[in-house]
mmCIF file of all heavy atoms in Angstrom:
data_model
loop_
_atom_site.group_PDB
_atom_site.id
_atom_site.type_symbol
_atom_site.label_atom_id
_atom_site.label_comp_id
_atom_site.label_asym_id
_atom_site.label_seq_id
_atom_site.Cartn_x
_atom_site.Cartn_y
_atom_site.Cartn_z
ATOM 1 N N LEU A 921 100.144 -145.434 -41.836
ATOM 2 C CA LEU A 921 100.744 -144.132 -42.106
ATOM 3 C C LEU A 921 100.254 -143.630 -43.462
ATOM 4 O O LEU A 921 100.444 -144.279 -44.476
ATOM 5 C CB LEU A 921 102.270 -144.252 -42.105
ATOM 6 C CG LEU A 921 102.907 -144.616 -40.762
ATOM 7 C CD1 LEU A 921 104.394 -144.887 -40.955
ATOM 8 C CD2 LEU A 921 102.702 -143.507 -39.745
ATOM 9 N N ALA A 925 103.453 -146.444 -48.830
ATOM 10 C CA ALA A 925 103.087 -147.770 -49.337
ATOM 11 C C ALA A 925 103.456 -148.808 -48.285
ATOM 12 O O ALA A 925 104.443 -148.651 -47.570
ATOM 13 C CB ALA A 925 103.835 -148.065 -50.632
ATOM 14 N N ASP A 968 101.475 -168.455 -29.364
ATOM 15 C CA ASP A 968 100.592 -167.711 -30.275
ATOM 16 C C ASP A 968 100.471 -168.419 -31.625
ATOM 17 O O ASP A 968 100.556 -167.789 -32.674
ATOM 18 C CB ASP A 968 101.104 -166.281 -30.459
ATOM 19 C CG ASP A 968 102.568 -166.236 -30.897
ATOM 20 O OD1 ASP A 968 103.141 -167.323 -31.148
ATOM 21 O OD2 ASP A 968 103.132 -165.136 -30.983
ATOM 22 N N VAL A 979 117.793 -178.880 -24.265
ATOM 23 C CA VAL A 979 118.280 -179.327 -25.571
ATOM 24 C C VAL A 979 117.976 -180.807 -25.746
ATOM 25 O O VAL A 979 117.836 -181.553 -24.767
ATOM 26 C CB VAL A 979 119.801 -179.094 -25.743
ATOM 27 C CG1 VAL A 979 120.131 -177.614 -25.693
ATOM 28 C CG2 VAL A 979 120.600 -179.860 -24.705
ATOM 29 N N GLY A 986 121.092 -183.111 -41.393
ATOM 30 C CA GLY A 986 120.801 -181.886 -42.121
ATOM 31 C C GLY A 986 121.999 -181.039 -42.486
ATOM 32 O O GLY A 986 121.942 -180.251 -43.428
ATOM 33 N N ALA A 995 133.419 -180.688 -36.668
ATOM 34 C CA ALA A 995 133.677 -180.930 -35.246
ATOM 35 C C ALA A 995 135.180 -180.825 -34.987
ATOM 36 O O ALA A 995 135.980 -180.628 -35.907
ATOM 37 C CB ALA A 995 133.154 -182.306 -34.857
ATOM 38 N N ASN A 1010 147.850 -166.242 -32.798
ATOM 39 C CA ASN A 1010 148.865 -165.486 -33.534
ATOM 40 C C ASN A 1010 148.288 -164.323 -34.328
ATOM 41 O O ASN A 1010 148.948 -163.294 -34.502
ATOM 42 C CB ASN A 1010 149.636 -166.409 -34.479
ATOM 43 C CG ASN A 1010 150.458 -167.445 -33.725
ATOM 44 O OD1 ASN A 1010 150.803 -167.239 -32.559
ATOM 45 N ND2 ASN A 1010 150.763 -168.554 -34.378
ATOM 46 N N THR A 1015 140.544 -159.963 -39.806
ATOM 47 C CA THR A 1015 141.579 -159.031 -40.254
ATOM 48 C C THR A 1015 141.108 -157.590 -40.173
ATOM 49 O O THR A 1015 141.923 -156.661 -40.251
ATOM 50 C CB THR A 1015 141.980 -159.330 -41.715
ATOM 51 O OG1 THR A 1015 140.834 -159.143 -42.558
ATOM 52 C CG2 THR A 1015 142.520 -160.739 -41.855
ATOM 53 N N ILE A 1143 130.714 -180.055 -71.448
ATOM 54 C CA ILE A 1143 131.989 -179.461 -71.892
ATOM 55 C C ILE A 1143 132.194 -179.672 -73.390
ATOM 56 O O ILE A 1143 132.665 -178.771 -74.100
ATOM 57 C CB ILE A 1143 133.152 -180.053 -71.074
ATOM 58 C CG1 ILE A 1143 133.147 -179.452 -69.679
ATOM 59 C CG2 ILE A 1143 134.493 -179.790 -71.764
ATOM 60 C CD1 ILE A 1143 134.209 -179.968 -68.761
ATOM 61 N N ALA A 1304 117.213 -185.259 -36.522
ATOM 62 C CA ALA A 1304 117.005 -183.910 -37.060
ATOM 63 C C ALA A 1304 117.172 -183.930 -38.573
ATOM 64 O O ALA A 1304 118.233 -184.289 -39.077
ATOM 65 C CB ALA A 1304 117.981 -182.935 -36.436
ATOM 66 N N MET A 1365 123.180 -207.229 -43.174
ATOM 67 C CA MET A 1365 124.114 -208.127 -42.514
ATOM 68 C C MET A 1365 125.353 -208.351 -43.380
ATOM 69 O O MET A 1365 126.478 -208.380 -42.903
ATOM 70 C CB MET A 1365 123.428 -209.461 -42.206
ATOM 71 C CG MET A 1365 122.374 -209.364 -41.116
ATOM 72 S SD MET A 1365 123.093 -208.981 -39.495
ATOM 73 C CE MET A 1365 123.904 -210.539 -39.143
#
Side-chain angles (χ1 to χ4, degrees):
L921 295 172
D968 54 5
V979 297
N1010 294 337
T1015 62
I1143 285 179
M1365 290 293 289

